Amino acid sequence: MIVLKYTKSLDARFISHIDLLKHIGRILRRAGIPVKHSQGFNPHALLFFSPPMVLGVNSYAEYVAIDTDMNGDEVFERFNNSVPDGLKAINWFKTDKNPNIQGKSVSADYVLDVPYFEFDYKDGFEITYKKKDDMVTEDIARKIFGIFNADGRLGVRLASGNNNLRVDRLATGLNEKYGKDIKITTIAKIAQYVDVDGKEIDVDLYLK
Amino acid sequence: MNDYKKKIDELLLSVEKPARYVGGEWNVPDMKKQAKAKFCFCFPDIYEIGMSNLGLQILYDIINRHPDFIAERCYAPWTDMGAKLRENDIPLLSLETATPLKDFDVVGFSVQFELLYSNVLYMLDLAGIPFYAKDRGGEYPIICAGGPCAVNPEPFAPFFDCIVIGEGEEADLELLKKVAEGKEKGLSKVQILEELKKIEGVYVPSLLTEGERVVKAVVKDFENAPYPTKPLVPNIEIVHDRATLELYRGCASGCRFCQAGYYYRPIRERSAEKCAEYGREMINNSGFGEISLCSLSTSDYTGLMDLEKELRPFIDEKKITLALPSLRLSSFTKEMAQSSRRSSLTFAPEAGTQRLRNVINKNVTDEEIGNIGRAFEAGYDSVKLYFMLGLPTETDEDILGIAEICKRLRSLYIEIRKKRNLTISVSCSVFIPKPSTPFQWEAQISLDEMLRRQKLLRNALREIKGVSFSWHGAETSVLEVVLARGDKKLAPVIVRAYELGAKFDSWTEYFSWDIWTQAFADCGIDMGEYIGEISEDKDLPWDFIDIGVSKKYLLGQRHLAYQGITTKNCREGCNGCGANKLGRCTII
Ligand code: SF4
C-alpha cells in the first residue's frame, strides 16, 4: 500500500469531502495508477483517506492510502502529472496495510492568518454556530489542545477525528470575541496527528 | 490572481456549493496564450447543468485548440451568488480568469430551452450589459446566441447582435476570425456585423432584409469533426458526470413531435472505430468512471454492436461502465440489457395506443413493448416510461392505454420472475407544438384540459400496484409553447417578466405563472395568440430559417399524421425531407 501526503489548497480547497473521494478515484484512473478493488457484488476501489477537511480551508497535510502494487516513486510522479495545482502530492510512504489514519486521528495543527496572540480558553471557550437549522452553543475548551507561535502567526492544535473541532468555528469564535478578522479561506492545516499506543504522533513519523 | 478572484474567494463560503464558481477543472486549456480574440460562453443555467452540455464542451474545445483564440465559460450563478455579486458590486465574471463579461470580444449564449430566456437577461443584467442589441455601442462585446432554440430565434433576436443557426463548430471559428480581423482593421460594430452576416448560419437580426433566408450551418464531415477528447472534469457532481460519446447527429425515426429529430438532420454517423478511439482517449484523459453514448436514438446507431465489442476489453480493464441511455424498444436485446448494468430501464413509448403512436410516427409496436420481458429475464426490477399528454387527436382511450401498458408489463414481470416487486415509474410531459416539426401548426390543449387528462391518468394508474406517476408543470408547458412559437413582439414581454422577478423558470421553486401572465398583460399581448392552431397558409415567424427540411415536407407529414399513416425510418430509405441538400445523410 502506498500512502500519499498531498495538499488541498487553491481552488481545490472548495471541493467537498464527498466530491474529493470521487475525484481522487478519477485522478488515479487518468494517472494510470492501478488500484485494487474490494471483492463482492459492488466492488469499490481500495482507497483510505484522512479525516474530512472543512470546506474552504487549505491543507498541506492530507493523506490517502492506495492499495496498489505500483512503486511509490512512480505513483507519486504519475499522481502529480494528473492533478490540478491545488492537489499536489508532497511525500509518499509505503505501508503493509491500511494505516487507518482516519480512525486513529486525534489532533491537527492549523495556522490562522492573524498575528500571534494568546487567548484564554482553559477555563472555557463558548462558541455558537448553526447546525442544520438550530443554533448550538458549545464549550470547546477541551478540544483546544494548545496554541503556538507559527512564525508570527497564530498556530492552534485542535481535536481531530471522532471528537473533531472544526477550525472555522474556532476562527469565527475568535473573530467575535477578540474582534479579529480571520478569513476561513486563509487558514492552513499543516499537520495531522494520530494516536499510537496512547501517544500523539505526527502521521509522517507514524508512517516512516 | 486578479482582485475579482480574491473577492470571489471571500464570498464563496457564504454560498451553496462554492465549487460551482472556482473553475480549475482538469483539462482546462491554456488561458495565458496570446489571443487575437476572446470568447466567453454563457450558459443560462447553473454549473451542474451547463457543464453537462456536450455542445458547449465541443465548441469550447474547438476554439481553444485554435492558436489565436481563447474561450472561457460562465454559468448562471444560483440566486444566492447572484445576490452576493450585486451586494459587493462585482460584475458577472468568467470562470477561468475571473474576467468581467464586458471585457471579452464575443459573449455567446447557449440557449437550450425556452424557459431559460429570462436567465439570459439575468446574466446580462449581472454583467452590466444592456439587454437590447440596439442599445449597445461598440464598447460592448458582440453578444451572440446559439443552441437548439435558434430554430426560432425571433422572441430573443432583439437581444443579440447575431445568432448562430444550426451547428456552431465551423461558424463560431469563422465568427471569431472575422471579429479579430475587424478589431485589427479598426472596423465599427456595424461593419463587423456586415462581415459576420456572410458566414453560413449566422443571422444578424438588425441586417436581415425582407424576404431573405438564413440557412442553418451544418458540419459536413462529421466523421472527422473535432471532438473534445480531453473533456473538462468537474470538481463537483454534475448532472451528466461521465465521458460522453456522440455517435451521430440527426435522427432517422421521424417522430412528428420531435424538434431535434428534424433540426439536426442530415443524419451523419461517426464510425464505430472512431467512437471507440475517442472513448478510450476520453477516459485516459479524464479518469471518468463511465462512458455514456449520446445521440437522439442511440440504439439505432449502425455500429452499436461493433462499438460495444471494441470498447469491452478496455472497459473491463479500467473497471468502468458503459451506459446505454434512451434505448428504443425495437432494437432492444437481452445482451444490451445485461451489458449496460443499470438499475432501471428507460423507455419512451410516448403514447398509450398503437393508433396514436402511428399518428406521431413513434414506431414502437405493442409487440415490441413485450420485448421488455427480455430485460426482466436479465434481472431488471424497475422500468421508467415516458409519455406525452395532449398529442394531436388524443382521446381518453389513448390515455387509458398508458395504464394498460403498465398492467401488461406487470403481468409479464410476474410471469417471468415469479414475484411481484416490479416498480414502474410513469412520467408524463405535455405535448408542445414546436417550430420545424410536422406539428408546428397544432394547438396546445388548454390548461384545464391538461389537468383533466392528468387526473384521468393518475386515477387509472392508482389502481395498479408498483406504479408511480409524475408529470411536468402544466403552466410551464403553456409558457414553453408561447415562447417557442413566438415572434419579436415577445422580447419586451421577456424583459418585463425579468423586471417582475422571473429567473430560473425551469426550476419549479422559482417559476411564477403570475409573473408571466402579468408581463403579458403589461405588454398588452394575448398568450392565446400563440397557443391555438395556426392556419397552414399563415406565414410563421421562423419561416426565414432554412433548416434543410422543407415546409412542404413537414406539411405532408402533418396530413399523414391525421390519416394515421406512418413514415418509414430513414434507414430503410430516404423519405425526401430535403435535409440532404445541406449535407449527405451517411446512413443512406
Ligand atoms: S434527406 Fe432523406 S435520409 Fe436524410 S433525413 Fe431527410 S428523409 Fe431522412
Side-chain angles (χ1 to χ4, degrees):
Chain A
M1 197 160 293
I2 300 295
V3 184
L4 287 179
K5 180 181 189 183
Y6 65 97
T7 65
K8 184 172 179 288
S9 64
L10 306 173
D11 289 340
R13 70 194 192 276
F14 295 107
I15 303 176
S16 70
H17 188 66
I18 304 266
D19 286 325
L20 183 76
L21 303 188
K22 195 162 167 185
H23 215 67
I24 298 267
R26 287 180 178 168
I27 290 168
L28 296 171
R29 195 176 294 112
R30 68 178 174 244
I33 300 168
V35 183
K36 292 191 189 150
H37 280 62
S38 62
Q39 304 294 321
F41 187 69
N42 237 334
H44 58 272
L46 293 170
L47 300 173
F48 307 95
F49 292 83
S50 49
M53 274 296 295
V54 177
L55 204 65
V57 173
N58 300 279
S59 174
Y60 301 93
E62 296 300 291
Y63 299 85
V64 58
I66 305 163
D67 198 350
T68 178
D69 291 330
M70 191 178 263
N71 79 58
D73 279 326
E74 191 171 355
V75 170
F76 183 81
E77 199 188 314
R78 282 176 173 261
F79 185 90
N80 275 347
N81 287 332
S82 300
V83 284
D85 287 343
L87 283 177
K88 287 286 179 201
I90 42 182
N91 204 350
W92 67 268
F93 308 88
K94 191 169 166 55
T95 61
D96 301 336
K97 57 177 188 15
N98 171 15
N100 190 15
I101 297 169
Q102 180 148 12
K104 291 184 158 67
S105 288
V106 277
S107 60
D109 284 347
Y110 303 87
V111 177
L112 311 186
D113 190 17
V114 62
Y116 176 75
F117 71 101
E118 280 171 12
F119 62 92
D120 288 326
Y121 60 91
K122 300 228 163 80
D123 302 327
F125 192 102
E126 279 192 355
I127 56 167
T128 304
Y129 55 87
K130 209 169 161 184
K131 197 172 188 179
K132 298 223 170 81
D133 284 326
D134 293 331
M135 291 308 284
V136 180
T137 299
E138 184 187 349
D139 183 356
I140 56 170
R142 61 190 176 84
K143 294 185 178 181
I144 303 174
F145 293 0
I147 60 178
F148 57 93
N149 187 327
D151 289 334
R153 312 267 95 188
L154 176 62
V156 289
R157 182 168 298 182
L158 308 181
S160 155
N162 283 341
N163 190 28
N164 187 54
L165 170 57
R166 281 177 48 165
V167 64
D168 56 326
R169 290 185 181 150
L170 171 70
T172 311
L174 290 173
N175 286 345
E176 279 163 12
K177 282 198 172 58
Y178 295 92
K180 304 285 176 189
D181 182 25
I182 306 165
K183 298 228 160 36
I184 310 297
T185 53
T186 59
I187 298 174
K189 172 179 164 187
I190 54 167
Q192 173 74 51
Y193 299 89
V194 283
D195 178 329
V196 181
D197 305 327
K199 271 200 236 111
E200 193 180 25
I201 294 180
D202 188 312
V203 174
D204 287 5
L205 294 174
Y206 163 62
L207 295 175
K208 271 234 169 87
Chain B
M1 189 152 72
N2 70 24
D3 280 358
Y4 282 130
K5 172 85 178 146
K6 257 186 235 155
K7 280 193 191 166
I8 291 279
D9 276 1
E10 281 170 27
L11 300 179
L12 286 179
L13 291 181
S14 54
V15 298
E16 207 184 286
K17 301 199 185 170
R20 283 171 176 164
Y21 310 104
V22 296
E25 299 94 338
W26 184 247
N27 285 333
V28 167
D30 175 19
M31 290 290 142
K32 294 201 178 90
K33 75 184 178 205
Q34 272 301 318
K36 290 187 179 155
K38 288 194 179 185
F39 192 106
C40 188
F41 280 108
C42 287
F43 195 94
D45 208 330
I46 56 166
Y47 180 87
E48 292 93 312
I49 294 176
M51 266 293 277
S52 304
N53 185 270
L54 177 62
L56 203 134
Q57 289 240 15
I58 291 176
L59 299 174
Y60 178 80
D61 172 67
I62 287 182
I63 294 179
N64 282 311
R65 280 188 201 202
H66 196 286
D68 293 336
F69 307 129
I70 283 180
E72 301 195 28
R73 292 162 296 147
C74 178
Y75 304 96
W78 189 236
T79 49
D80 56 353
M81 188 60 167
K84 290 275 167 204
L85 291 176
R86 283 213 172 97
E87 259 166 47
N88 292 278
D89 257 329
I90 303 173
L92 192 58
L93 305 167
S94 68
L95 200 56
E96 284 83 351
T97 63
T99 304
L101 261 45
K102 254 196 256 182
D103 297 345
F104 283 84
D105 300 299
V106 183
V107 171
F109 281 85
S110 166
V111 196
Q112 299 285 325
F113 179 37
E114 291 78 7
L115 297 182
L116 299 178
Y117 292 176
S118 57
N119 260 25
V120 170
L121 301 186
Y122 169 59
M123 291 179 82
L124 285 174
D125 191 15
L126 286 171
I129 296 174
F131 296 155
Y132 288 102
K134 64 175 170 48
D135 298 336
R136 298 189 297 257
E139 71 276 27
Y140 289 100
I142 302 278
I143 312 281
C144 64
C149 289
V151 71
N152 172 23
E154 290 308 79
F156 55 81
F159 306 140
F160 294 100
D161 299 305
C162 65
I163 296 165
V164 177
I165 315 287
E167 299 166 352
E169 273 101 331
E170 286 147 19
D172 278 10
L173 271 186
E174 276 306 304
L175 190 144
L176 271 172
K177 276 181 203 159
K178 291 198 185 275
V179 169
E181 265 169 38
K183 235 169 84 174
E184 242 171 59
K185 291 186 194 153
L187 300 186
S188 71
K189 188 163 184 171
V190 179
Q191 285 170 317
I192 294 178
L193 289 177
E194 273 163 2
E195 285 301 310
L196 298 185
K197 197 185 155 180
K198 296 177 188 159
I199 304 169
E200 184 160 80
V202 173
Y203 162 41
V204 179
S206 59
L207 298 176
L208 191 82
T209 52
E210 186 68 36
E212 206 178 348
R213 299 194 81 194
V214 180
V215 183
K216 172 183 84 172
V218 164
V219 175
K220 296 204 170 57
D221 184 4
F222 184 66
E223 173 76 6
N224 295 305
Y227 199 74
T229 49
K230 286 187 172 174
L232 297 175
V233 186
N235 293 324
I236 52 170
E237 186 160 356
I238 61 169
V239 180
H240 292 290
D241 215 355
R242 49 188 92 101
T244 308
L245 261 184
E246 189 187 21
L247 307 176
Y248 68 94
R249 245 176 234 176
C251 183
S253 307
C255 302
R256 291 175 177 138
F257 55 84
C258 177
Q259 190 176 49
Y262 290 93
Y263 190 47
Y264 292 106
R265 292 179 175 200
I267 306 161
R268 292 145 292 159
E269 288 195 334
R270 193 171 266 140
S271 65
E273 300 84 72
K274 189 116 240 177
C275 289
E277 178 193 320
Y278 286 170
R280 285 186 292 259
E281 275 181 45
M282 288 178 98
I283 296 299
N284 288 337
N285 289 331
S286 67
F288 279 121
E290 184 175 341
I291 300 180
S292 77
L293 306 179
C294 156
S295 291
L296 289 171
S297 179
T298 297
S299 53
D300 279 350
Y301 172 58
T302 316
L304 191 59
M305 290 302 171
D306 292 339
L307 177 62
E308 231 262 10
K309 227 190 275 158
E310 279 244 6
L311 280 176
R312 183 55 52 196
F314 178 78
I315 283 168
D316 292 342
E317 182 209 318
K318 296 278 168 180
K319 299 191 177 74
I320 57 172
T321 51
L322 176 66
L324 300 166
S326 62
L327 288 178
R328 264 182 66 85
L329 299 174
S330 50
S331 46
F332 187 73
T333 66
K334 189 177 163 187
E335 289 75 49
M336 278 180 176
Q338 263 164 346
S339 61
S340 70
R341 271 195 271 153
R342 308 212 102 189
S343 53
S344 151
L345 282 172
T346 302
F347 294 114
E350 307 292 0
T353 59
Q354 189 65 52
R355 185 201 69 78
L356 188 53
R357 285 197 297 272
N358 289 348
V359 168
I360 63 174
N361 205 43
K362 183 84 193 184
N363 293 333
V364 165
T365 60
D366 277 335
E367 191 188 319
E368 283 166 341
I369 292 176
N371 282 350
I372 295 185
R374 299 206 201 126
F376 297 153
E377 284 166 22
Y380 284 85
D381 299 308
S382 119
V383 183
K384 275 191 196 137
L385 298 172
Y386 290 91
F387 295 95
M388 245 181 245
L389 287 184
L391 285 161
T393 78
E394 183 181 70
T395 63
D396 286 358
E397 193 191 327
D398 297 309
I399 296 169
L400 297 173
I402 296 174
E404 288 309 313
I405 292 178
C406 295
K407 280 189 202 151
R408 204 169 132 217
L409 289 178
R410 195 171 148 75
S411 42
L412 195 64
Y413 178 87
I414 295 172
E415 193 186 304
I416 294 174
R417 298 287 292 279
K418 316 274 181 253
K419 47 182 189 175
R420 311 183 150 265
N421 37 358
L422 175 68
T423 60
I424 303 176
S425 80
V426 172
S427 172
C428 271
S429 58
V430 178
F431 163 68
I432 293 163
K434 292 249 171 152
S436 297
T437 66
F439 289 160
Q440 63 183 359
W441 296 273
E442 298 300 327
Q444 186 180 52
I445 54 171
S446 69
L447 258 177
D448 287 344
E449 187 56 19
M450 285 177 204
L451 298 175
R452 188 193 68 83
R453 293 188 196 188
Q454 276 169 355
K455 201 167 150 204
L456 177 72
L457 179 58
R458 195 176 55 221
N459 290 341
L461 292 176
R462 255 194 208 137
E463 288 167 20
I464 315 169
K465 277 223 172 69
V467 177
S468 63
F469 177 48
S470 63
W471 64 88
H472 288 250
E475 286 149 348
T476 50
S477 303
V478 176
L479 182 61
E480 241 183 283
V481 79
V482 172
L483 294 175
R485 297 202 297 191
D487 48 19
K488 284 208 176 82
K489 282 191 308 200
L490 295 195
V493 181
I494 302 169
V495 172
R496 183 67 192 134
Y498 176 70
E499 286 165 358
L500 291 169
K503 57 174 165 296
F504 288 105
D505 285 314
S506 53
W507 295 74
T508 23
E509 64 263 51
Y510 278 98
F511 176 75
S512 160
W513 180 238
D514 291 347
I515 284 183
W516 281 96
T517 46
Q518 177 73 46
F520 274 89
D522 289 355
C523 296
I525 290 177
D526 175 16
M527 273 201 214
E529 215 185 290
Y530 301 90
I531 297 169
E533 184 176 346
I534 304 175
S535 141
E536 288 177 1
D537 44 30
K538 206 180 152 204
D539 289 337
L540 303 169
W542 56 93
D543 274 346
F544 74 102
I545 302 277
D546 182 355
I547 64 157
V549 181
S550 69
K551 193 170 176 183
K552 200 166 135 238
Y553 181 79
L554 296 178
L555 205 53
Q557 284 292 312
R558 181 184 196 219
H559 296 158
L560 288 176
Y562 277 97
Q563 297 165 53
I565 301 176
T566 59
T567 297
K568 66 180 185 303
N569 188 299
C570 291
R571 285 168 200 275
E572 294 163 28
C574 175
N575 293 301
C577 78
N580 55 357
K581 74 175 189 193
L582 301 182
R584 196 169 73 85
C585 285
T586 64
I587 54 163
I588 298 293

